[in-house]
Amino acid sequence: MLLPLIILLPLIGSLVPVLARRARRTPIALLTALLPGAALAITIWLGIQVLKGDILHFALPWVPQMGLALAFRFDGLSLLFTLLILGIGLLVIVYARYYLDPKDSMPKFYGFLMLFMTSMLGIVTSDNLMLLWFFWELTSVSSFLLISFWSWSSNARKGARMAFAVTGAGGLCLLASLMLMGHIVGSFSLDTVLHSGETLRQSPLYPLVLILLLLGAFTKSAQFPFQFWLPHAMSAPTPVSAYLHSATMVKAGIFLLIRLYPVMGDTNGWYYIITLTGLITMFYGAYMAMVQYDLKGLLAYSTISHLGLITMLLGLDTRLSTLAAVFHVVNHAIFKASLFMAVGIVDHECGTRDSRRLGGLRRYMPYTAALATVAGASMAGVPLLNGFISKEMFLTETLQIQSLGGLSWLIPALATLGSALSVAYSLRLVVDVFYRGEPRFLPKQPHEAPRPMRLPIEILIILCLAVGMFPSFTVGALLNSAMSVVATDAMSGQSLAVWHGINLPLMMSAAAMLLGLIIYLMRNILHSSFRRDFLKTDAKLVFERAVQKSIAFGERVLDRIDSRSLQQYMLVMMTLMLIMAVQGLVKMPGLMGPVALQPIDPFVLAGAIAMCIGAIATVNFQRYRLIALICLSITELMVALAFLKFSSPDLALTQLVVAPVTLILMLLTLFFLPQQTPRVSSGIRILRDLVLAAAVGTVIASINFAVLTDHYDSIGKFFTDNAVSGAGGHNVVNVILVDFRGFDTLGEITVLGITALGVLKLLNRMKLFVPTTSAENRPWAPEYFPTIFGSVAQIVLPLALMVAFYFFIRGHNLPGGGFIGGLVAASALIMMYTARGVEWTMRRLRIDFQRLIATGLLIAWLTSAAPLLFGHNFLTTWFDHFDIPLIGSLEIASALVFDLGVFLTVVGATMMILANLGRLATPYSPAREHRQIDGAMSAKKEMR
Amino acid sequence: MEAIFSATIGILTACGIFMMLRGRTLPIVLGMSLMTFATNLFLFSMGRLRIGADGLVGSKLGSIDPVPSALVLTAIVIGFAMTAFVMILAIRARADLGSDHINGSRRKSRHDHRSDPLELDESRGGKR
C-alpha cells in the first residue's frame, strides 16, 4: 500500500509551495522538500524488498472493460529511476532556492517542479501502458511550464513551445504505438506485455509499433533528427535544465526503450534503427558541443551526444550493452546534473555564461572550480570516476559487434572518435572557464557561491567518486536488480570493476584521451572553419516558419470549406441526416408494423389539429413577434394536453408550468431585440428550405409511425416492479429521476445551475439598444403596475408556494416532485415580479438566487455522497414507513432530500435567469421614468 | 391514432426546421422550441401511446412505460434552460454586434490577426 504514496506525495507536494506562498524563501524550499523526502524514504524502504528480488504491485481498477487501471509496479528498474528522480529532484530544490531571483515566484517554480517530478515518477512506476502514456504527456505539459518559467522572455516562450510541440507530437505517436501493442497482446498491463515478447515480434504490425514507439522515445530523448528542441529548452532557469536534461525528461525516452527492450528488442529493425540513430546523434551532439560559446548550449549538446551514446548501447545486440546503457544513465545523470549546477553558479555569480568572456575563474571561485573539474573529468571518462567505467563498458561492447561484416571495425573506431570529442568539449568547458585566461567585461564581480548552493554539487561529486572507485559496492546490487527485469542473464559472470587489466578497450580509452587533447588544442581552427557553416540556420526560426505555414494552410482550407453561416451548417447536417434516414427506411419491407392501430379518439384528433395549426401559424406570423409567440404557446399547451391524454400526468404538469415561464422570458427578451424582422429571404431560398423541412418532417413522421406499430419490449418493467420494494415510491417516473437514474438528474441540475450562471455572465455589462417607442411609433403605456393584479398576486403567492411545496412533497408517490414543485414555485415568484416590478419585489424578497442554486446543488451532491460514509454505493437511498399522528402512515425516503436539492436548484436557476433579465429592463420601464419625474417635481416643490 | 400522432410530429418538425433555417435570432429560437416539442413527443411515444393509464404502481388504471416519461421530464427542463440561454445569447449578440442576424454583422476574416497567432503580443495581454 506504500507504493502509490511515492507518486501521490510529490503530487500533493505540488500544492505545498502554493499554500506556503506567504512564507519566506527558505521555509518554502524546506516545506517543498518535505514530501518528496518522505517519498524517498518510502522508496528506500520498498527498495530493500525489491533488491531481494520482489516486484511490488498496486492496482486500482478503473474501467476494467477497457483495461484501464491505476496500476503501479515497482521493480529494480523503477527503483533505480525513482532514486534518481527523487534524489536529484531534492538536490535541485535546494539549489533552486539560491539560484532563483527574489523577483521570481518561488511557489510557482516549486509547484511546477513537483508536478514534473510526479509525472516522471508516474512514468517509471506505471504498470499500465495507458497510465504510462498519461504520465508521459504530463511530463510534456509540466516541462512546458518549467521551460517557459521566465515567460516574459520571448526565447523562453518559443523554446517551451518548440519542446512541447515536438515531445507532444512524439507522445501521440507513442499513444498509437502503445494502443497497437495493447491490441496485439490483448492487455494494457505491463506484466502481460512483458511476457508476450514473442507474440509482439511475430505480429505483422511489429514494424509499425516499433517505428511509432521509436518516434515517441526519440522525440523525448532528443535523438537525431529531433534533437533541435533541446538546446532551445536551455532558456529555462538552470535548475530546470539540471533536472530535465540530466536525470529526468530526456531519460524518459531512454527509460521507455529499456523498459520495452525485453519485448521489442532483439530484432534487426530495432538494432539498425537504434544503433544508427544513436551513432549519428552522438557525433552530431559532440561536434556541436565543440563549437558552442554558450556554456549551457555546450552542455545541451553534450547531453544530446551522451543520450546518443546510451541509445546506441541499447541498440547493440550484445547482452552486456544494455547493462552498460543503464549504468551510463545513472552516471550521466550524476555528472551532468552537477555540471549544469556548476554552470548555473558561474552564470549566477558572473552574470554571463558566454565562454568568450569567461576565463581563469579558479581564482574567484576555487571550490566551484574544483567541483566542476571533477564533474568534467567524469564526463570525459577519466579513470577512478564513474564516467570512466561505463565508457569502458561501451568501448568493450562496440568491439563485440559482428553485424557489419568486414566493416564492423568501423564502430569501435567511431566510438573512440566520439569519446575523443567528449574529452575535447569537457576540456573546453573546464579549462577555458576556470583555468586559462582572464574574465573579460563581466557584468558582475565574480565571487564564490554561497555554501548551501554548492552543497548539491558536492553530494553529486561524492557520488561520482564513490561509484567511480567502488562500483560494485555502490551500485552493483541496484544495477543487478534493474537488469533482472530487462535482460536476465546480463549480470552473470560480470563484475563492475575499475581495473580489467591492460586490454584493447583501455588502449582505446587512452587513444581517445590523447586525440581529445589534440582536438582541444586545435579548437580555434575548428571554430573559424566550421562554425559559420553549421550555425547558419536557426532551428527556432525554421520551426516558427513551419508553424506559421501550417496555420496559414489550415486557414486557407477552412476558408474554402466553411462558409461560417448557420444556415449552411443546418442545410448540410439536415441533408446528411435525410440521406442516412432514407436509406434505412427504403430497406424496410413496409412502414406499417405488425401491431394494429388504435381507434381514433376525437379529442386526440382535435388536439392534433390545434397543435398543427399553432405550429404552422408560428411559421406564418414569424415577422409579427407577439402573434408568433402566442401561436407557439398554443402549440405548447397542446403538447401538455397530449402528455396528459397519453397517461403521463408528470410530463403534463411540467410542460404546463414551463410554458408561462418560457413565454415571460421570451416577452422580456423581445424588448431587446429588433422590433421588426426584415423580409430578406429570396423566393427560391424559401422554396428550398420548405422542401428540405417537408422532407425531414416526412421522414421523421415515417420513422415514428414505423416504431409505433412495431413490437414493444422495454426495460420499463424492471423499474415498475422495483419502485416500491427498492425505492419506496409509487410514482415510477419520480423514482427513476431521484433514485434509479439519480446520477442523470444530478448531472442535469448541475447543468441547470451552470446555465443560470452563464446567463448571469452574459447579461453582465451589456450595451443595450433600448427602444423608446413601439414599432408603430406609439409611446410605451405610462401606467403603473396594475393595482388589482398586484393585490391579487400578493394573496395568491403564499397559496401558490404551498401548492409548489405540496407537489414537491408528494412527488414520490403521486405526480409531482422536485422539478414540478420547483417550477411552480418559480412561476409564483415570477407572478409577483410581474405584478409589482423587480425593484419592489427585490426589496421585500431578499433571496440570493446564486446561493439558492449552490445550496440546492450541495444538498443533492451531499445526499448522493452520504451513503459512501456507511459503506454503500454512491446515491444509495434509504426509506422507511412512519405512523405520524393526525397525518397517518407516511413513507419517507432519503431520496426526498435529494429531491429538495433538485427543487432548490430549479427555483434558483429559473429565478436567476428571469429576475436578472427583468432587472435589466427595469431602468427603462415607464413606471420608473414616471417616478423619477415625480421625484424631480417633488424636489422642485420642496425648493419652493 | 398512431398515424395522427406521427403526422403531427412530422408537421412540428417541418415547421421547426424551416424556422431554424431563417437568418434572424428570434425565428431560430421559435424554431428550436418547435423542434423541442417534436423531439419530446417523439421520445415520449417510444413508450407507446396509451390512453387512460397512469405511471403509479398499484393503481387500477394500469401503468405506462415510465422510462420515456422520466427522460422527457428532464428534457423539458433542460429545454427551458437552453431556450433561456439562447435567448440571452441573442440579446447579447445584438448588443455586441448591433444586429440580430445569426451569422453576426461584423464578419471578420480569419486573415485579420494573421501575423503571429500563437505569440501573445502586449496589446493582447502579453506581459513584458
Side-chain angles (χ1 to χ4, degrees):
Chain A
M1 276 313 286
L2 282 174
L3 178 52
L5 282 183
I6 296 179
I7 297 96
L8 199 62
L9 284 180
L11 183 65
I12 300 170
S14 60
L15 291 177
V16 169
V18 183
L19 293 176
R21 63 184 176 280
R22 296 195 187 282
R24 296 168 65 82
R25 280 146 49 92
T26 311
I28 293 185
L30 289 178
L31 283 172
T32 309
L34 211 60
L35 286 175
L40 187 63
I42 295 173
T43 308
I44 293 169
W45 170 251
L46 294 177
I48 295 169
Q49 294 177 50
V50 171
L51 287 183
K52 282 184 199 140
D54 289 356
I55 295 178
L56 307 178
H57 288 276
F58 171 87
L60 204 68
W62 180 38
V63 190
Q65 297 87 341
M66 289 167 67
L68 299 182
L70 185 72
F72 295 110
R73 165 200 171 95
F74 204 59
D75 54 20
L77 192 64
S78 312
L79 172 66
L80 184 81
F81 274 90
T82 307
L83 285 176
L84 276 181
I85 293 162
L86 283 171
I88 296 186
L90 281 168
L91 297 180
V92 166
I93 291 176
V94 176
Y95 179 80
R97 152 67 185 87
Y98 295 93
Y99 180 85
L100 287 183
D101 201 76
K103 284 201 291 284
D104 296 326
S105 162
M106 293 256 290
K108 191 172 131 188
F109 182 84
Y110 280 139
F112 291 163
L113 192 74
M114 297 303 288
L115 189 66
F116 180 77
M117 186 188 280
T118 310
S119 42
M120 273 311 294
L121 288 169
I123 291 183
V124 300
T125 54
S126 290
D127 192 18
N128 182 293
L129 293 182
M130 287 301 112
L131 189 66
L132 190 153
W133 178 79
F134 168 76
F135 283 118
W136 182 278
E137 289 295 274
L138 205 57
T139 55
S140 295
V141 176
S142 49
S143 66
F144 171 81
L145 294 172
L146 279 171
I147 296 170
S148 62
F149 178 70
W150 285 327
S151 51
W152 41 262
S153 142
S154 164
N155 274 340
R157 293 197 302 265
K158 288 200 173 97
R161 217 154 66 201
M162 197 194 291
F164 187 63
V166 175
T167 57
L172 290 181
C173 294
L174 179 68
L175 176 65
S177 169
L178 293 180
M179 291 189 77
L180 279 173
M181 214 180 276
H183 172 71
I184 295 169
V185 175
S187 165
F188 285 128
S189 158
L190 199 59
D191 260 346
T192 321
V193 171
L194 286 179
H195 286 111
S196 322
E198 209 50 44
T199 327
L200 259 175
R201 284 189 294 264
Q202 301 297 328
S203 162
L205 287 172
Y206 172 81
L208 186 62
V209 177
L210 181 68
I211 298 285
L212 289 169
L213 177 76
L214 292 183
L215 279 174
F218 285 176
T219 46
K220 202 78 163 181
S221 286
Q223 295 297 299
F224 186 83
F226 306 110
Q227 82 294 342
F228 56 88
W229 68 265
L230 200 145
H232 292 284
M234 288 297 137
S235 38
T238 304
V240 173
S241 311
Y243 196 40
L244 260 61
H245 304 132
S246 68
T248 53
M249 173 90 162
V250 292
K251 294 285 168 65
I254 303 283
F255 169 82
L256 191 71
L257 293 181
I258 301 176
R259 179 53 105 192
L260 293 174
Y261 175 77
V263 281
M264 297 294 290
D266 259 347
T267 61
N268 273 337
W270 171 280
Y271 166 70
Y272 282 112
I273 301 176
I274 298 190
T275 313
L276 283 179
T277 310
L279 193 68
I280 296 172
T281 312
M282 184 176 90
F283 265 99
Y284 177 82
Y287 181 79
M288 291 303 284
M290 272 311 288
V291 296
Q292 291 296 311
Y293 291 130
D294 179 6
L295 292 184
K296 274 181 86 176
L298 190 157
L299 285 180
Y301 279 108
S302 84
T303 300
I304 293 177
S305 171
H306 278 268
L307 289 170
L309 188 155
I310 299 171
T311 309
M312 189 177 157
L313 276 171
L314 284 172
L316 296 181
D317 52 354
T318 58
R319 280 289 179 198
L320 276 179
S321 63
T322 317
L323 171 67
V326 176
F327 192 25
H328 198 67
V329 164
V330 179
N331 293 333
H332 175 254
I334 294 174
F335 67 66
K336 193 50 65 70
S338 53
L339 278 173
F340 266 117
M341 290 183 189
V343 165
I345 287 182
V346 169
D347 189 11
H348 199 252
E349 306 305 341
C350 300
T352 181
R353 45 175 209 249
D354 188 330
S355 63
R356 285 167 297 189
R357 292 162 75 180
L358 296 166
L361 289 180
R362 177 175 49 106
R363 285 186 291 283
Y364 304 97
M365 37 178 83
Y367 289 111
T368 310
L371 294 171
T373 310
V374 180
S378 178
M379 179 157 81
V382 173
L384 294 182
L385 292 167
N386 58 354
F388 171 71
I389 304 174
S390 45
K391 194 189 65 179
E392 285 287 290
M393 290 166 81
F394 165 62
L395 293 174
T396 314
E397 290 319 302
T398 53
L399 286 171
Q400 314 292 322
I401 296 170
Q402 307 293 333
S403 48
L404 286 184
L407 286 177
S408 292
W409 63 271
L410 261 177
I411 302 284
L414 287 174
T416 314
L417 188 63
S419 306
L421 281 170
S422 179
V423 172
Y425 61 68
S426 302
L427 279 170
R428 257 200 76 204
L429 177 68
V430 175
V431 177
D432 281 9
V433 173
F434 292 103
Y435 296 96
R436 280 183 68 244
E438 282 293 320
R440 292 165 287 273
F441 316 115
L442 290 188
K444 280 183 183 174
Q445 174 64 30
H447 59 87
E448 188 60 90
R451 166 77 217 216
M453 195 171 179
R454 297 197 311 264
L455 182 74
I457 314 182
E458 285 165 3
I459 293 174
L460 289 168
I461 293 301
I462 290 171
L463 279 174
C464 271
L465 290 164
V467 175
M469 285 188 246
F470 315 105
S472 61
F473 175 71
T474 45
V475 290
L478 210 53
L479 284 179
N480 201 352
S481 166
M483 291 313 290
S484 68
V485 286
V486 183
T488 33
D489 51 343
M491 292 293 280
S492 55
Q494 171 73 15
S495 63
L496 296 166
V498 181
W499 181 248
H500 285 282
I502 296 178
N503 54 11
L504 195 52
L506 189 68
M507 306 300 288
M508 285 160 72
S509 210
M513 291 280 174
L514 199 67
L515 196 60
L517 190 64
I518 295 170
I519 298 176
Y520 168 70
L521 294 174
M522 289 166 57
R523 66 192 181 285
N524 288 335
I525 305 169
L526 265 176
H527 274 254
S528 54
S529 54
F530 289 107
R531 195 174 196 281
R532 259 173 297 132
D533 302 339
F534 257 88
L535 296 182
K536 215 185 279 170
T537 51
D538 186 349
K540 205 157 46 189
L541 293 180
V542 176
F543 181 79
E544 283 297 314
R545 204 169 302 138
V547 169
Q548 305 276 354
K549 270 195 177 153
S550 61
I551 289 173
F553 176 74
E555 281 174 348
R556 273 203 305 280
V557 172
L558 216 56
D559 273 345
R560 192 154 298 172
I561 58 175
D562 173 17
S563 60
R564 301 228 269 171
S565 145
L566 182 74
Q567 290 97 321
Q568 294 285 336
Y569 298 161
M570 291 280 304
L571 207 65
V572 171
M573 281 194 289
M574 289 298 157
T575 316
L576 271 179
M577 192 202 79
L578 210 57
I579 292 168
M580 283 188 274
V582 164
Q583 275 177 350
L585 281 174
V586 166
K587 280 188 196 132
M588 287 176 66
L591 198 59
M592 174 83 187
V595 175
L597 295 181
Q598 296 178 38
I600 294 177
D601 183 298
F603 293 106
V604 173
L605 185 64
I609 292 171
M611 203 188 290
C612 294
I613 290 176
I616 293 166
T618 312
V619 176
N620 192 39
F621 294 113
Q622 53 166 299
R623 292 181 60 245
Y624 308 93
R625 308 185 305 171
L626 274 177
I627 300 173
L629 274 189
I630 290 165
C631 296
L632 187 76
S633 298
I634 292 172
T635 315
E636 191 160 16
L637 195 66
M638 286 303 136
V639 171
L641 289 178
F643 288 141
L644 190 64
K645 183 75 190 168
F646 295 116
S647 322
S648 190
D650 286 277
L651 287 188
L653 271 172
T654 318
Q655 190 79 61
L656 208 58
V657 274
V658 159
V661 179
T662 318
L663 186 68
I664 290 173
L665 174 93
M666 287 195 171
L667 284 173
L668 277 172
T669 44
L670 281 191
F671 186 64
F672 298 109
L673 287 174
Q675 290 169 327
Q676 276 163 325
T677 311
R679 192 190 290 273
V680 280
S681 300
S682 61
I684 195 112
R685 187 156 172 179
I686 287 180
L687 189 67
R688 181 195 73 183
D689 293 350
L690 270 177
V691 169
L692 183 72
V696 175
T698 315
V699 165
I700 295 287
S702 311
I703 295 175
N704 190 256
F705 185 73
V707 175
L708 286 183
T709 52
D710 200 1
H711 283 303
Y712 179 48
D713 185 26
S714 159
I715 54 166
K717 197 169 156 26
F718 167 84
F719 296 115
T720 316
D721 290 348
N722 289 290
V724 176
S725 57
H730 287 84
N731 182 5
V732 191
V733 174
N734 182 265
V735 169
I736 292 176
L737 285 177
V738 297
D739 196 325
F740 289 127
R741 307 286 306 163
F743 202 58
D744 296 357
T745 311
L746 201 57
E748 197 210 334
I749 56 172
T750 311
V751 169
L752 202 62
I754 294 170
T755 315
L757 288 178
V759 166
L760 190 68
K761 270 288 162 213
L762 276 177
L763 289 177
N764 194 16
R765 288 205 211 170
M766 194 156 74
K767 284 178 295 175
L768 286 164
F769 288 73
V770 181
T772 47
T773 62
S774 75
E776 293 81 27
N777 281 330
R778 277 192 300 247
W780 300 121
E783 279 95 19
Y784 287 79
F785 296 103
T787 320
I788 297 175
F789 183 28
S791 315
V792 173
Q794 250 168 295
I795 298 165
V796 169
L797 180 70
L799 293 173
L801 287 178
M802 203 173 69
V803 170
F805 187 69
Y806 172 64
F807 272 134
F808 157 68
I809 203 96
R810 73 173 199 173
H812 220 46
N813 292 312
L814 288 165
F819 280 116
I820 297 171
L823 285 167
V824 172
S827 332
L829 290 173
I830 290 165
M831 176 187 68
M832 206 59 231
Y833 276 84
T834 337
R836 290 291 196 180
V838 175
E839 290 191 332
W840 188 92
T841 319
M842 279 208 169
R843 270 203 303 278
R844 285 160 182 79
L845 204 74
R846 293 173 194 275
I847 307 174
D848 184 351
F849 297 119
Q850 224 159 317
R851 202 163 284 173
L852 203 61
I853 297 175
T855 317
L857 284 179
L858 213 59
I859 290 176
W861 277 97
L862 288 181
T863 324
S864 314
L868 293 175
L869 291 179
F870 302 102
H872 296 290
N873 282 330
F874 194 70
L875 267 168
T876 310
T877 53
W878 163 92
F879 65 92
D880 208 344
H881 295 263
F882 291 93
D883 279 314
I884 299 171
L886 292 177
I887 297 176
S889 172
L890 199 65
E891 268 173 316
I892 293 187
S894 67
L896 191 66
V897 184
F898 179 83
D899 221 8
L900 179 67
V902 175
F903 178 88
L904 292 179
T905 314
V906 170
V907 175
T910 316
M911 290 312 296
M912 185 137 118
I913 295 170
L914 280 159
N916 278 303
L917 192 59
R919 188 161 56 182
L920 209 61
T922 302
Y924 311 102
S925 71
R928 186 183 161 115
E929 276 163 21
H930 255 261
R931 201 170 51 244
Q932 277 170 346
I933 294 165
D934 287 353
M937 280 170 66
S938 61
K940 267 184 193 165
K941 272 180 196 161
E942 276 170 25
M943 294 264 289
R944 276 180 206 157
Chain B
M1 190 164 67
E2 278 81 356
I4 298 177
F5 191 87
S6 302
T8 313
I9 288 182
I11 290 172
L12 284 188
T13 313
C15 293
I17 287 181
F18 181 77
M19 292 286 269
M20 282 165 81
L21 287 167
R22 301 300 96 211
R24 304 279 157 178
T25 47
L26 184 67
I28 288 175
V29 176
L30 296 181
M32 275 167 65
S33 295
L34 286 172
M35 275 299 278
T36 311
F37 301 153
T39 314
N40 286 346
L41 284 173
F42 190 106
L43 247 181
F44 173 71
S45 72
M46 291 301 102
R48 300 301 185 270
L49 306 176
R50 190 153 173 200
I51 295 177
D54 60 19
L56 306 181
V57 177
S59 128
K60 290 179 204 77
L61 296 169
S63 65
I64 54 156
D65 187 351
V67 180
S69 294
L71 289 176
V72 172
L73 202 154
T74 51
I76 293 172
V77 179
I78 279 292
F80 161 69
M82 186 196 64
T83 312
F85 192 82
V86 175
M87 281 308 274
I88 307 282
L89 201 62
I91 57 174
R92 176 88 212 195
R94 200 221 165 186
D96 286 358
L97 300 173
S99 153
D100 68 334
H101 198 278
I102 193 73
N103 297 330
S105 63
R106 297 181 205 159
R107 282 189 62 176
K108 266 191 188 171
S109 162
R110 286 188 189 83
H111 302 285
D112 287 356
H113 45 86
R114 180 97 165 257
S115 54
D116 191 0
L118 289 176
E119 189 73 49
L120 272 179
D121 58 27
E122 276 89 281
S123 66
R124 275 191 279 156
K127 204 165 72 174
R128 177 110 308 224

